[in-house]
Amino acid sequence: MKRLSAVLIAALLANCAHTVKPPLPQPDPPQFLAWPQELKYIGFRNIEKIWMTHPIKRGASVYSLPVAEVQINPHASIDGKTLSTDAFIEANNISGLLVIKDGRILLERYAHGRSPEDRWLSASIAKSVTSTLIGAALQDGSIKSLDDLVTTYLPELRGSAYEGVTLRQLLTMTSGIAWDESYSNPESDVAKGLALPPKECGVNTAITYSKGLPRVAPAGTKFNYNSAETDLVGILLARATGQSLSSYLSAKIWAPFGMERDGVWATDSSGQETGGSNI
């Protein structure tokens, strides 16, 4: 495992620091969506050593999460068989489990080589973070309205199927634009358009890929899960505020709440944080 970790961390391609060539058999081109499980255990806690990232700076004080005097160790009875917490963790391939009640930790367990000090890839939780930051930008006045047209902030999308789509529709994934989010299909839009590593250094793949997509429904009428749209929201947010997503997150949430450590946010090949994933 240690050797695999060392190989992974050393595997950055010289021609583009945003890409990685994993040390295990991969599809061509290699994509993190197709990482085998043993590589995820290492890669998900070493993102800043694999991809380019921006730091999310912590503040001066830390919000305390004390350990409760009485810890819990729940068991579940399923089909007449009693399962422990550890059995649940193993059966569901969980690397970390944390239970908090009334501001105190009741249970904290880790597996698969993970420790309390490790960062861990939070994947699409970033979508909720990016959406929350849009609320902050509305309050600040950097964005006037959720009914603003996307093309006002992203003029590169003028003339595409995104013409006439509002920020509200982008946030709710009701743009009506065609998109396939199938993670197991190497030919899906999410695999071809967004999955790291990007195809070309210096190019924002969310914009370049999205502007070529067709319309399949009137805007505002149909929900379709689309990670690219939250990436577009992130680009829009950065332009509206004049700040990087990581800096804005630090100022509005990370530092004021009292996070214990700096976070990191992975960037695409243009150096823009991916609003839909990878904090």
Side-chain angles (χ1 to χ4, degrees), residues 18 60 99 119 126 197 206 208 247:
H18 296 273
V99 178
R119 293 189 181 93
T208 56
S247 294

Side-chain angles (χ1 to χ4, degrees), residues 129-146 148 153 167 171 233-245 248-249 251-253:
V129 174
T130 299
S131 299
T132 302
L133 293 178
I134 288 288
L138 284 165
Q139 187 176 52
D140 289 347
S142 300
I143 294 174
K144 181 180 178 181
S145 170
L146 291 182
D148 287 349
Y153 301 88
L167 173 54
L171 281 165
V233 170
I235 300 167
L236 184 156
L237 177 64
R239 292 184 182 181
T241 62
Q243 300 183 50
S244 68
L245 296 188
Y248 200 57
L249 171 56
K252 295 297 179 181
I253 299 175

Side-chain angles (χ1 to χ4, degrees), residues 3-44:
R3 180 178 179 275
L4 180 59
S5 179
V7 173
L8 175 63
I9 293 169
L12 292 174
L13 299 182
N15 66 333
C16 183
H18 296 273
T19 65
V20 62
K21 186 176 181 180
L24 299 177
Q26 296 293 306
D28 188 17
Q31 297 169 344
F32 86 101
L33 292 175
W35 282 358
Q37 197 63 54
E38 56 266 39
L39 185 54
K40 292 177 182 177
Y41 295 147
I42 300 169
F44 284 2

Side-chain angles (χ1 to χ4, degrees), residues 40-61:
K40 292 177 182 177
Y41 295 147
I42 300 169
F44 284 2
R45 66 176 186 264
N46 286 291
I47 291 302
E48 68 270 32
K49 299 175 183 177
I50 301 171
W51 300 326
M52 294 298 293
T53 61
H54 288 167
I56 307 165
K57 293 293 186 180
R58 53 157 283 180
S61 60

Side-chain angles (χ1 to χ4, degrees), residues 69-83:
E69 291 184 8
V70 178
Q71 296 289 287
I72 62 172
N73 186 24
H75 292 67
S77 181
I78 302 174
D79 296 330
K81 183 178 180 181
T82 299
L83 297 178

Side-chain angles (χ1 to χ4, degrees), residues 6-256:
V7 173
L8 175 63
I9 293 169
L12 292 174
L13 299 182
N15 66 333
C16 183
H18 296 273
T19 65
V20 62
K21 186 176 181 180
L24 299 177
Q26 296 293 306
D28 188 17
Q31 297 169 344
F32 86 101
L33 292 175
W35 282 358
Q37 197 63 54
E38 56 266 39
L39 185 54
K40 292 177 182 177
Y41 295 147
I42 300 169
F44 284 2
R45 66 176 186 264
N46 286 291
I47 291 302
E48 68 270 32
K49 299 175 183 177
I50 301 171
W51 300 326
M52 294 298 293
T53 61
H54 288 167
I56 307 165
K57 293 293 186 180
R58 53 157 283 180
S61 60
V62 175
Y63 184 89
S64 178
L65 282 175
V67 176
E69 291 184 8
V70 178
Q71 296 289 287
I72 62 172
N73 186 24
H75 292 67
S77 181
I78 302 174
D79 296 330
K81 183 178 180 181
T82 299
L83 297 178
S84 66
T85 299
D86 290 337
F88 170 80
I89 289 173
E90 180 65 27
N92 291 278
N93 201 30
I94 292 171
S95 71
L97 180 63
L98 180 67
V99 178
I100 299 173
K101 182 181 180 183
D102 299 330
R104 294 183 178 274
I105 296 172
L106 298 182
L107 183 150
E108 187 172 10
R109 303 274 180 88
Y110 298 94
H112 306 298
R114 188 179 179 185
S115 75
E117 288 75 34
D118 287 324
R119 293 189 181 93
W120 192 260
L121 182 69
S122 63
S124 287
I125 289 174
K127 292 180 172 64
S128 295
V129 174
T130 299
S131 299
T132 302
L133 293 178
I134 288 288
L138 284 165
Q139 187 176 52
D140 289 347
S142 300
I143 294 174
K144 181 180 178 181
S145 170
L146 291 182
D147 296 317
D148 287 349
L149 294 178
V150 171
T151 50
T152 300
Y153 301 88
L154 304 178
E156 302 96 317
L157 294 177
R158 289 173 184 164
S160 74
Y162 279 96
E163 193 81 57
V165 173
T166 66
L167 173 54
R168 186 187 306 275
Q169 291 161 347
L170 207 61
L171 281 165
T172 56
M173 300 182 185
T174 58
S175 68
I177 308 301
W179 180 263
D180 180 4
E181 187 89 8
S182 301
Y183 301 125
S184 60
N185 178 10
E187 295 302 313
S188 68
D189 291 306
V190 71
K192 292 191 298 183
L194 295 184
L196 296 179
K199 292 180 172 64
E200 185 179 354
C201 289
V203 174
N204 190 296
T205 53
I207 289 180
T208 56
Y209 191 84
S210 295
K211 69 182 179 181
L213 295 171
R215 172 169 297 285
V216 294
T221 64
K222 182 180 179 180
F223 168 78
N224 182 41
Y225 190 82
N226 184 336
S227 288
E229 300 207 319
T230 317
D231 281 359
L232 292 175
V233 170
I235 300 167
L236 184 156
L237 177 64
R239 292 184 182 181
T241 62
Q243 300 183 50
S244 68
L245 296 188
S246 52
S247 294
Y248 200 57
L249 171 56
S250 173
K252 295 297 179 181
I253 299 175
W254 207 266

